Amino acid sequence: MTGDVAHDDSPHILSEQSGSAHLPSGRADGAAGADDEGNGEGATGDDEGNREGFRAFWADVVADEIEARDPDEPIVIKGGVSPSGVAHLGNFNEIMRGYFVAEVLRERGHEVRQVFTSDDRDPLRKLPRKLANADGEIVGLGEVDAGALGRNLGKPYTSIPDPFGERESYAAHFADLLKADADRLGIPVEMVSNTDLYAEGAFDDVTRTVLADLDGVREILSQYQEKVDDEYVPFNPICAECGKVTETVTAIDVAAETVEYVCTDMDVGDETIEGCGHEGTATFREGKLPWRLEWPGQWDVLGVDFEPFGKDHAEGSWPSGIDVARNVLGIEPPVPMVYEWFTLNGEPLSSSAGNIVTVPELLNLLEPEVLRYFFALHPKKARDLDIERLDQLVDRFDRFERAYFGEVDDEDLTAFAERAYPFVVGRTDNPPTERPVRLPYTFAAVLGMVDDSDFRERLARDEGHIPADASDETVEAALARVEKARNWAERTENEYDYRLQTALPDVDFDEDVAAALDDLADFVAAGHGGEAIQAEMYETARAHDVEVGDFFSAGYRLFFDDTQGPRLGEFLGELERDYVVARLRQEA
C-alpha cells in the first residue's frame, strides 16, 4: 500500500550556514531576518556537490551560533510555559527543539543543561475547558473537582489545589505531565518552578534592578505595551489576605526589598476577578515580575544561552526582552530560534477551543521515534498534524529511515537523514547499522483487523514485509506497530476499523452468488492485485446477473460477518492469497 512516492512538501530543508539565518526579524543587532532561512527544498549555493557552508540539519546551525559566542559551561538551553490548561503537543515544541540542539552540542563535547520553566507564579485567569489526568488522558471539568479551580481564580498556579487530588498543586500536576512526556520520549529535561526561583531569592537581584530604575523601565516598556504611565510599577505582589496576584503597588522600598500594595480587581478580557481590598506589604519574594520583565529575568537567573519560542513571542515579547536584557539587566539575550506553529487537523492547537492532542495519545498511535521525527523537521516550516492522515507521517518517517540506510534515491533527503536520524532514534553514541523491519502503517492497520498474532505474522511474511530469516525479536518489534495502527483506525473510524473473521461465518448464499464467488476465487488465485480484484468484482457480479451491492455484501459477510467494510477488492489483495481463495470458496 505504500512505497517511495514523491512528496509535494519535502520533509526537510537544508539550512544555510550564513550567520544567524534562523533568527527572528527585527533583532537589534542587525542579524539576518527569518525570511533568510533558506530557499526551500534542497541545497542552495555555489557548489551543491561540495555543500560547504551548509548544514543538513537545522540544529547544527543553531549549535554553530551558540559556539560562536564561546559560552561558559554548562551551556543552558531553556523552554517554558505557563501551566494554564492541558499539557498538549504544542507545549512540547520547545522541549523537543531544545533537545535536538542540546544533543548536537553534547555530541561536540559540551556539557549541556536543558531546563524548562513552569511559569507557575502566574495567576489563573480563567477556567480551562479541559484538563489531562496523570496518564495524559484528556478529561472534562465535570470529571474533576472543578471548584478547586473556580474558587481560586487570580491565585498563582502553585497556590491552587490539584483538581485531581493527587499532587500538592495544580502547577505540580501540570509540570509532572510535561516531565512524564519528556521521559516517554527520552528527553533529559530539568523542570524549574518560577515560584521556587522567587521563593529562594533567585529573582531578588533582577527585581531590585528593575524597581531601582522605574523611569528607564517605563520608557522601554511603553514602546511595546499600552497602559505604561508614570504610575506604573512592574511588580505584582501576592495578597497576604486572599492569596490573589494584584497589580496595584503604592510604594517601593528598594533597600528593604519590599513593596506596599492594595489588592484591587484584575480585568481578564470581559471578566473581572475581584480583589479583596486588603492593604499590605510584600517582599520581593512574595510577588512576581510581569512577563516582559520576567522572561529576560529568567535568562539572567538561569544563565540561558539558547531558547526557542513561537512566532507570537517573536513579534511581541522577544523585541522587548532584548531591550530589557541589554538596557536594564546589562546582559546579552540568548541565541533565539523562532519556530512556526503547527496545526492539528487543519486548525490551531488550542486548549480553550478543545483542539488538542497529548503526547500519550499520539504514542498510542505511533512509535516515539516517529513523533521525534516530526519535531526534527525544519522548525520554520508550518506543518499540519492530521490524525486522519497519520499514515502519511509514518510513511515519511519510514522513507527518512530508509534514506539513512542508503535505500532512497534522493540526495538531499539522504543528507538530512544521515545527520538527523541518530538524533531522532536517540542513538548518537551508537548509530544504528541495520535498518529495523517496519510494516507499512496502513498494512499494519489491515493486520489490526484480526486478533490472531500467528495469522498477523503469516500475512506479513506472505506480503514480504518480514524476512524469512527474521528473529523472534525482530518479528515482535515489527508487529508492535499493528496495535498502534489498530488504535488509529478505531480513533478515526476509518476504513480499517473492522474486524476480520478468522473462522468461516455461518452463511448460506444463493447459487448464482456462490458461483460468482467461485469465479472471483479463480481470479484471485491467478495472482491479481487488489485494484484488479476490486474491478473484477463488478464484472463478475454482472456476468452472473447478481446485483453488485448484493455481491459485495456477500463478500463482506464472508470476511467480516457484516454487510459493509473497507474497499473489499483492495483489502483482499493485502491478504494471504490461499486464505482468500479458500474463504471465497467457503472452504475455511
Side-chain angles (χ1 to χ4, degrees), residues 16 102 156 316 381 437 453 475 561 572:
E16 184 173 3
K381 186 163 186 173
V437 174
S453 58
V475 173
D561 200 15
L572 298 182

Side-chain angles (χ1 to χ4, degrees), residues 134-311:
D135 295 323
E137 299 166 339
I138 296 176
V139 301
L141 290 183
E143 301 178 58
V144 301
D145 180 9
L149 297 174
R151 291 187 297 269
N152 291 281
L153 288 172
K155 295 182 181 180
Y157 290 106
T158 42
S159 300
I160 298 172
D162 177 8
F164 293 89
E166 298 172 349
R167 293 302 313 273
E168 62 270 23
S169 70
Y170 175 70
H173 173 83
F174 186 95
D176 278 0
L177 290 178
L178 282 175
K179 183 62 170 65
D181 288 346
D183 291 343
R184 290 181 179 101
L185 292 174
I187 311 300
V189 66
E190 175 187 345
M191 302 300 295
V192 175
S193 164
N194 253 9
T195 295
D196 290 346
L197 291 177
Y198 280 107
E200 67 192 25
F203 270 107
D204 284 357
D205 288 345
V206 172
T207 305
R208 186 186 309 109
T209 300
V210 167
L211 296 184
D213 184 20
L214 283 179
D215 289 341
V217 171
R218 288 167 180 160
E219 181 180 356
I220 289 172
L221 292 185
S222 65
Q223 303 174 52
Y224 304 98
Q225 67 183 59
E226 299 178 354
K227 300 181 180 179
V228 176
D229 54 24
D230 291 343
E231 303 299 319
Y232 176 74
V233 177
F235 188 76
N236 305 137
I238 298 171
C239 178
E241 185 71 20
C242 68
K244 295 179 182 178
V245 175
T246 185
E247 300 173 341
T248 305
V249 173
T250 57
I252 304 169
D253 188 334
V254 174
E257 298 187 347
T258 61
V259 300
E260 296 178 19
Y261 66 88
V262 179
C263 184
T264 54
D265 296 347
M266 179 189 299
D267 293 328
V268 181
D270 297 331
E271 304 294 327
T272 298
I273 299 175
E274 293 184 357
C276 71
H278 174 73
E279 298 182 17
T281 301
T283 70
F284 289 177
R285 301 184 184 188
E286 296 170 332
K288 70 179 298 294
L289 295 165
W291 167 245
R292 287 186 186 272
L293 295 167
E294 188 173 75
W295 193 22
Q298 290 173 342
W299 301 340
D300 190 13
V301 168
L302 298 171
V304 180
D305 296 295
F306 166 66
E307 180 159 7
F309 47 85
K311 61 181 182 180

Side-chain angles (χ1 to χ4, degrees), residues 22-38:
H22 58 283
L23 295 180
S25 57
R27 180 169 174 182
D29 61 6
D35 291 339
D36 298 328
E37 181 61 51

Side-chain angles (χ1 to χ4, degrees), residues 401 404-405 417-418 420-436 438:
E401 185 171 64
Y404 174 77
F405 290 98
E418 286 178 346
Y421 179 76
F423 296 98
V424 167
V425 297
R427 296 275 302 275
T428 53
D429 293 338
N430 181 28
T433 57
E434 184 175 345
R435 181 170 65 84
R438 306 277 188 191

